Amino acid sequence: MTEPTPAITTFRDFNIAEPLLTALDEIGYETPSPIQAQAIPPLLAGLDVLGHAPTGTGKTAAFALPLLSRLDMQDKNVQIMTLTPTRELAIQVAEAYQRYAKNIQGFHVLPIYGGQEYSGQIRQLKRGVQVVVGTPGRVMDHMRKGTLKLNGLRALVLDEADEMLRMGFIEE
């Protein structure tokens, strides 16, 4: 992204859903980081974004906040899927989604990764989740079994895509 963005000084300068802004206030987020200021507007507009920033600069919030703002809470299908290279990152990202969306009534996020029983994941998928955060292998397993349906998918995030490629997930 090389286009200059207007001066953004607070998260309220974005068109982010009010329940998310309330959560950000409670968390203590005040000023968007550069990756957030650059990524949030195009993601809110439904555009594709490729972002690169150092660890600890708020990349998760940069994609999660605008995508959560665009959720249809009447739709219980998976609308956002975030793929991560490791279960630890899947858990961390799922927790971030939950923290940001804590004021959104009926919101459900599900981390899916290997090393967990399928039955609990399948039960939650049947109940309905708006966001799935998972590792490529387990996500593919669920897709092959028909337990993860993506016909309502609105956004796909490849978090640490370079790491997934290095780990050999190129096929998936």
Side-chain angles (χ1 to χ4, degrees), residues 77-99:
N77 293 306
V78 176
Q79 298 174 52
I80 302 168
M81 184 165 63
T82 301
L83 291 176
T84 66
T86 65
R87 77 179 72 182
E88 293 79 15
L89 186 56
I91 293 167
Q92 179 184 329
V93 171
E95 288 172 349
Y97 274 114
Q98 186 64 53
R99 192 168 51 250

Side-chain angles (χ1 to χ4, degrees), residues 52 85 158-168:
H52 178 71
L158 303 177
D159 196 2
E160 295 192 12
D162 56 336
E163 186 63 25
M164 282 189 277
L165 292 173
R166 268 196 294 281
M167 292 172 72

Side-chain angles (χ1 to χ4, degrees), residues 14-171:
F14 300 118
N15 191 23
I16 293 175
E18 190 59 39
L20 299 171
L21 292 171
T22 302
L24 291 176
D25 288 343
E26 293 167 4
I27 294 168
Y29 285 15
E30 294 174 5
T31 306
S33 69
I35 187 72
Q36 293 163 350
Q38 290 180 343
I40 290 173
L43 287 171
L44 280 169
L47 300 174
D48 293 341
V49 171
L50 175 62
H52 178 71
T55 300
T57 57
K59 290 185 296 291
T60 302
F63 63 76
L65 293 171
L67 297 179
L68 288 169
S69 288
R70 299 179 63 220
L71 282 180
D72 175 359
M73 291 309 297
Q74 307 308 311
D75 186 353
K76 297 299 180 197
N77 293 306
V78 176
Q79 298 174 52
I80 302 168
M81 184 165 63
T82 301
L83 291 176
T84 66
T86 65
R87 77 179 72 182
E88 293 79 15
L89 186 56
I91 293 167
Q92 179 184 329
V93 171
E95 288 172 349
Y97 274 114
Q98 186 64 53
R99 192 168 51 250
Y100 301 142
K102 72 179 195 168
N103 299 315
I104 299 177
Q105 191 77 22
F107 173 77
H108 297 288
V109 58
L110 176 63
I112 58 174
Y113 49 86
Q116 279 187 316
E117 287 293 320
Y118 279 98
S119 60
Q121 294 174 355
I122 292 169
R123 193 170 36 258
Q124 290 182 62
L125 286 167
K126 284 182 180 177
R127 176 191 70 191
V129 298
Q130 291 86 14
V131 178
V132 166
V133 182
T135 55
R138 183 55 65 102
V139 165
M140 292 299 295
D141 288 347
H142 276 287
M143 290 172 66
R144 280 191 281 276
K145 291 175 183 267
T147 52
L148 176 60
K149 295 176 179 44
L150 300 176
N151 51 332
L153 195 66
R154 297 173 179 207
L156 172 64
V157 177
L158 303 177
D159 196 2
E160 295 192 12
D162 56 336
E163 186 63 25
M164 282 189 277
L165 292 173
R166 268 196 294 281
M167 292 172 72
F169 287 120
I170 196 160
E171 274 300 308

